[in-house]
């Protein structure tokens, strides 16, 4: 069915996890109790060093949750208990499973808290942090599940299902399930892995989430072609100069600004115009920074620039994108919904949910092929129609 078809389209979707998202207090109590169950000798240590809560009881303690001082006192007590337990177990020889549970305790004790107001971090006073930790663990029951955003107003908890498909036939050629957050689990990073499974040159179709310099570079290095919508280029000042208004000469290692000033590209791929911006007549269209405009160039800057030029200057490229890229969205819809409802994962952990995804994509492919005339006769599969 896919022989001779050289296109691949990639996309991803968030699938809700099988557990409830836990707040910081619930996580701290839950993981201390888990350490007590799974780590040899930990129950005795909890009884000896954890004085802020009765960990023999599940659930949250009874306090005045409307009182900020009461909430802060509880958080301080739980964090101090967690830190004391980690210290008490630090010299104990543990197997891998027990060591992982203690490491989870240390992570939970630090990811969501910060020193209380007026504290230097050494007096044992803590509060819930006024920010969300990157790649925050959202449940001690399923530590692989993550919090992510599809948009500023659309937040989701769970995993990300990534798919590569042949767009004309909707045959799924590769898939992977990863935690929903983290640089290694981004759309572009996982798509790089999909390249490795292809032995022939392909055209790769993807939305702007796949338009990174790293992925474009990997596609180019592998001899493939990218039909990927470039991401937007923003100017520091509305209506002002973007990075594309600067000329970059990789051969000479220099960049020139719209006013004609030239600066060298540093080893870290920065271009610092500095004092040249001070009296520049174009400054109001270029930067509000006190120290002048600074460009940060990606290692694949030339590929990114060429992609933006091609997108604006080649209508056939945009037409191909509009023709073939949307087809993968139907594949995503088949994976993520059933009976008109959004699929909810049934398992805990990346490995089991990844196995579920592979079974599901195999079943979808089989259904697709049967619709195209696939039959099994006397132990042999045959495709009855072309």
């Amino acid at each position: 069915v896919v022989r001779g078809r050289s296109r691949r389209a990639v996309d991803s979707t968030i699938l809700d996890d099988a557990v409830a998202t836990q707040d910081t207090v619930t996580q701290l109590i839950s993981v201390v109790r888990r350490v007590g169950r799974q780590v040899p000798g930990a129950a005795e240590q909890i009884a000896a060093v954890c004085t802020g809560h009765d960990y023999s009881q599940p659930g949250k303690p009874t306090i005045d949750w409307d009182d900020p001082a009461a909430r802060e006192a509880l958080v301080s007590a739980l964090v101090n208990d967690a830190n004391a337990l980690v210290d008490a177990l630090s010299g104990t020889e543990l197997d891998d499973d027990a060591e992982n549970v203690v490491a989870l305790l240390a992570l939970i004790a630090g990811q969501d808290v910060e020193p209380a107001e007026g504290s230097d971090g050494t007096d044992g006073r803590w509060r819930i942090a006024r920010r969300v930790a990157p790649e925050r663990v959202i449940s001690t029951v399923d530590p692989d599940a993550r919090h992510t955003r599809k948009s500023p107003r659309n937040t989701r908890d769970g995993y990300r299902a990534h798919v590569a498909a042949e767009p004309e036939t909707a045959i799924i050629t590769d898939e992977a399930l990863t935690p929903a957050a983290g640089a290694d689990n981004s759309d572009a990073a996982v798509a790089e892995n999909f390249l490795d499974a292809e032995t022939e040159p392909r055209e790769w179709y993807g939305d702007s989430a796949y338009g990174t310099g790293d992925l474009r570079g990997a596609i180019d290095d592998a001899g493939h072609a990218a039909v990927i919508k470039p991401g937007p280029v923003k100017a520091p000042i509305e209506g002002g100069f973007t990075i594309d208004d600067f000329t970059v000469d990789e051969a000479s290692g220099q960049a020139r600004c719209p006013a004609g000033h030239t600066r060298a590209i540093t080893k870290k791929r920065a271009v610092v115009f500095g004092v040249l911006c001070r009296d520049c007549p174009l400054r109001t269209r270029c930067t509000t920074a006190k120290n002048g405009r600074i460009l940060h160039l990606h290692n694949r800057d030339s590929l990114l620039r060429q992609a933006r030029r091609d997108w604006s200057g080649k209508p056939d490229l945009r037409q191909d994108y509009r023709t073939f890229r949307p087809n993968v969205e139907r594949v995503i819809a088949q994976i993520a919904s059933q009976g008109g409802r959004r699929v909810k994962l049934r398992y805990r952990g990346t490995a089991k949910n990844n196995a579920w995804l592979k079974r599901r994509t195999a079943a979808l492919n089989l259904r697709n092929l049967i619709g195209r005339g696939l039959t099994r006769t006397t132990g042999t599969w045959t495709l009855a129609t072309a």
Side-chain angles (χ1 to χ4, degrees):
V1 172
V2 298
R3 184 181 295 119
R5 300 179 186 272
S6 61
R7 299 181 181 92
R8 297 290 184 266
V10 287
D11 205 354
S12 73
T13 188
I14 302 298
L15 299 176
D16 293 337
D17 55 50
V19 298
T21 299
Q22 298 172 324
D23 59 41
T24 303
V25 168
T26 300
Q27 288 200 70
L28 284 166
I29 294 173
S30 175
V31 75
V32 169
R33 286 170 52 83
R34 183 174 171 184
V35 169
R37 294 192 304 270
Q38 298 184 11
V39 178
E44 292 78 7
Q45 293 289 359
I46 292 172
V49 304
C50 297
T51 59
H53 176 67
D54 180 6
Y55 295 97
S56 65
Q57 302 298 318
K60 294 181 178 179
T62 302
I63 66 166
D64 182 359
W65 291 100
D66 294 325
D67 182 0
R71 295 198 305 269
E72 194 166 294
L74 175 61
V75 170
S76 295
L78 295 177
V79 172
N80 291 331
D81 281 355
N83 289 335
L85 183 55
V86 171
D87 288 342
L89 296 172
S90 61
T92 306
E93 187 172 343
L94 305 174
D95 61 24
D96 289 344
D97 290 341
E99 190 172 290
N100 288 337
V101 175
V102 175
L104 178 62
L105 172 62
L107 174 62
I108 298 299
Q111 70 171 2
D112 289 339
V113 300
E114 62 187 10
E117 186 174 358
S119 171
D120 61 358
T122 62
D123 59 3
R125 295 189 297 119
W126 305 94
R127 69 180 182 186
I128 302 298
R130 270 54 170 174
R131 44 89 182 127
V132 178
E135 301 183 42
R136 177 181 181 267
V137 173
I138 61 174
S139 171
T140 59
V141 180
D142 186 355
D144 288 350
R146 289 293 183 272
H147 179 80
T148 191
R149 291 178 179 271
K150 289 293 285 183
S151 68
R153 295 184 179 181
N154 184 4
T155 59
R156 301 284 296 278
D157 294 331
Y159 293 83
R160 188 180 294 273
H162 307 261
V163 175
E166 198 291 308
E168 292 183 276
T169 62
I171 294 294
I172 300 165
T173 60
D174 213 339
E175 68 286 301
L177 184 134
T178 69
D184 292 340
N185 306 317
S186 69
D187 290 343
V190 175
E192 282 195 51
N193 298 329
F194 291 161
L195 297 178
D196 297 336
E198 300 289 350
T199 59
E200 298 177 5
R202 307 290 186 194
E203 290 181 356
W204 291 87
Y205 291 74
D207 60 25
S208 58
Y210 296 90
T212 65
D214 289 338
L215 179 57
R216 288 186 184 277
I219 290 174
D220 188 65
D221 292 344
H224 300 285
V227 187
I228 297 173
K229 183 178 181 179
V233 179
K234 296 181 180 180
I237 297 174
E238 186 174 357
F241 298 120
T242 71
I243 192 172
D244 285 343
D245 294 308
F246 291 73
T247 302
V248 176
D249 187 343
E250 296 286 357
S252 65
Q254 293 183 324
R256 188 175 70 252
C257 75
H261 301 302
T262 301
R263 276 288 193 243
I265 303 172
T266 70
K267 291 182 178 179
K268 293 185 177 181
R269 303 282 296 167
V271 185
V272 182
F273 288 93
V275 296
L276 295 176
C277 299
R278 187 174 299 164
D279 300 317
C280 179
L282 302 180
R283 180 185 178 92
T284 56
R285 296 176 56 194
C286 191
T287 183
T288 58
K290 180 180 179 181
N291 296 323
R293 184 72 177 262
I294 300 176
L295 299 184
H296 297 280
L297 304 179
H298 193 277
N299 288 333
R300 298 287 192 160
D301 179 72
S302 59
L303 275 178
L304 291 168
R305 287 171 178 269
Q306 186 62 54
R308 292 191 289 269
R309 288 193 296 268
D310 289 347
W311 190 258
S312 62
K314 295 183 177 181
D316 289 347
L317 183 74
R318 299 195 300 274
Q319 182 58 45
D320 282 350
Y321 177 86
R322 288 191 293 267
T323 300
F324 297 109
R325 212 284 313 176
N327 294 352
V328 73
E329 294 181 359
R330 289 193 285 273
V331 175
I332 287 290
Q334 291 174 342
I335 291 172
S337 61
Q338 186 169 356
R341 294 185 177 183
R342 188 82 181 178
V343 168
K344 185 179 178 68
L345 293 171
R346 298 172 56 192
Y347 304 101
R348 300 174 186 174
T350 303
K352 289 184 178 180
N353 284 313
N354 188 54
W356 168 88
L357 177 63
K358 290 187 176 295
R359 289 194 298 271
R360 186 166 180 80
T361 54
L364 289 171
N365 274 346
L366 182 57
R367 186 178 70 179
N368 188 339
L369 290 169
I370 290 172
R372 291 174 175 274
L374 183 70
T375 58
R376 185 172 175 83
T377 306
T378 62
T380 302
W381 290 102
T382 58
L383 197 60
T385 60

